[in-house]
Amino acid sequence: MSIKTATFNGVATIEIARPEKKNAITSAMYEAMAEALNAANADPKVRAVLITGQPGLFTSGNDLEDFMARPPRDADAPVFQFMQALLGCEKPVVAAVTGAAIGIGTTLLLHCDLVYVADDSRLAMPFVALGLVPEFGSSLVVPRLMGHVKAAEKLLLGDPMTGAEAVEFGIANAVLPAGEVVNHARRMAERFNTLAPSAVRASKKLMRGPGLAELQRVIQEEAEIFAARLRSPEALEAFQAFFQKRAPDFTKFE
């Protein structure tokens, strides 16, 4: 299994650990992360959750080969189980990001409560470049965070962000040297050990509540379009180009 989990001092850690494949996430890994989040949410000893990757690499996004072999078709797909588990986690979720955070590696950060990124971080949402559309509510959340024109750079053109830009746009709390990110994020997660747990959960629910129904609706709409786009000629061209290590040719499409 390429997801490692451990609970220590009130913090449940979920570590993406597949460095040989640039931490690309498979269906089985999504399922494991969903199970880990749900278990942490139900464990009274857990006060916070920490999501991290490998040194110098958060995740390169979906494993495209696995994704094409097991495309998400409905709400029971592992990727959607993970999304719902993260959205439904009542406890604070802290993320520690070093290196690349591509696709869902960036969009999952939008649903964490505290996010710390390294000075070598590179966040990107290149969905359109793959003939796809934004996912996990990013078409709603990103424009609200940074405005339409900057969001267009990130979601339409797929331009990457530095760690400093992630802080500027409200996606992350702080930039730190790469070697300090995980320990700092863990210390922040451990601060919840000294706070009233039910008050923390109630406060998080209040903070998230007003926009939750709209967010859920957008995530569902994105998922339906995303699933259809996976079978589109544009996406097939993009995936073939990826595997053939060439630039996709979209000139024949209207």
Side-chain angles (χ1 to χ4, degrees):
M1 174 55 65
S2 299
I3 298 296
K4 297 180 180 179
T5 60
T7 298
F8 177 75
N9 195 24
V11 178
T13 300
I14 300 172
E15 179 184 348
I16 306 170
R18 197 187 180 209
E20 72 281 4
K21 293 291 186 178
K22 298 183 179 179
N23 275 9
I25 304 175
T26 64
S27 296
M29 292 166 69
Y30 279 122
E31 191 170 355
M33 288 193 291
E35 290 175 356
L37 281 165
N38 290 331
N41 200 40
D43 186 346
K45 297 188 296 296
V46 171
R47 296 296 183 92
V49 177
L50 174 63
I51 299 177
T52 187
Q54 299 293 286
L57 179 63
F58 190 60
T59 174
S60 58
N62 287 313
D63 182 307
L64 291 183
E65 188 172 353
D66 178 83
F67 209 58
M68 291 304 295
R70 303 168 185 81
R73 301 189 186 280
D74 54 43
D76 292 328
V79 63
F80 298 134
Q81 291 179 24
F82 165 71
M83 289 180 183
Q84 291 305 318
L86 183 54
L87 283 178
C89 188
E90 299 176 348
K91 298 174 182 180
V93 180
V94 182
V97 179
T98 61
I102 310 300
I104 198 164
T106 292
T107 60
L108 75 83
L109 303 177
L110 305 174
H111 309 289
C112 296
D113 300 292
L114 297 170
V115 176
Y116 300 95
V117 295
D119 50 15
D120 69 348
S121 292
R122 177 177 169 273
L123 291 73
M125 297 172 283
F127 303 113
V128 171
L130 292 170
L132 302 173
V133 295
E135 37 83 319
F136 211 173
S138 55
S139 65
L140 173 69
V141 179
V142 173
R144 287 186 174 176
L145 284 175
M146 61 182 72
H148 177 82
V149 294
K150 283 295 182 182
E153 288 181 346
K154 309 309 178 188
L155 291 173
L156 299 184
L157 295 178
D159 287 354
M161 285 177 279
T162 63
E165 287 176 315
V167 173
E168 176 188 347
F169 294 136
I171 294 172
N173 294 84
V175 180
L176 297 102
E180 299 177 13
V181 174
V182 174
N183 287 338
H184 180 81
R186 182 174 297 281
R187 286 194 297 271
M188 297 301 291
E190 289 174 348
R191 287 180 58 180
F192 290 102
N193 289 325
T194 65
L195 298 173
S198 61
V200 169
R201 292 193 301 271
S203 297
K204 176 173 175 172
K205 184 176 181 180
L206 286 168
M207 292 170 66
R208 297 281 186 171
L212 186 59
E214 182 182 22
L215 179 60
Q216 293 275 21
R217 178 187 61 76
V218 171
I219 289 173
Q220 178 62 34
E221 183 179 3
E222 289 173 340
E224 291 171 359
I225 298 173
F226 193 101
R229 295 287 318 165
L230 280 172
R231 301 185 293 275
S232 71
E234 290 177 346
L236 294 176
E237 163 62 16
F239 294 150
Q240 288 174 1
F242 176 83
F243 292 124
Q244 294 169 6
K245 298 184 178 179
R246 61 174 174 84
D249 180 9
F250 295 127
T251 59
K252 56 190 173 184
F253 301 109
E254 296 182 357

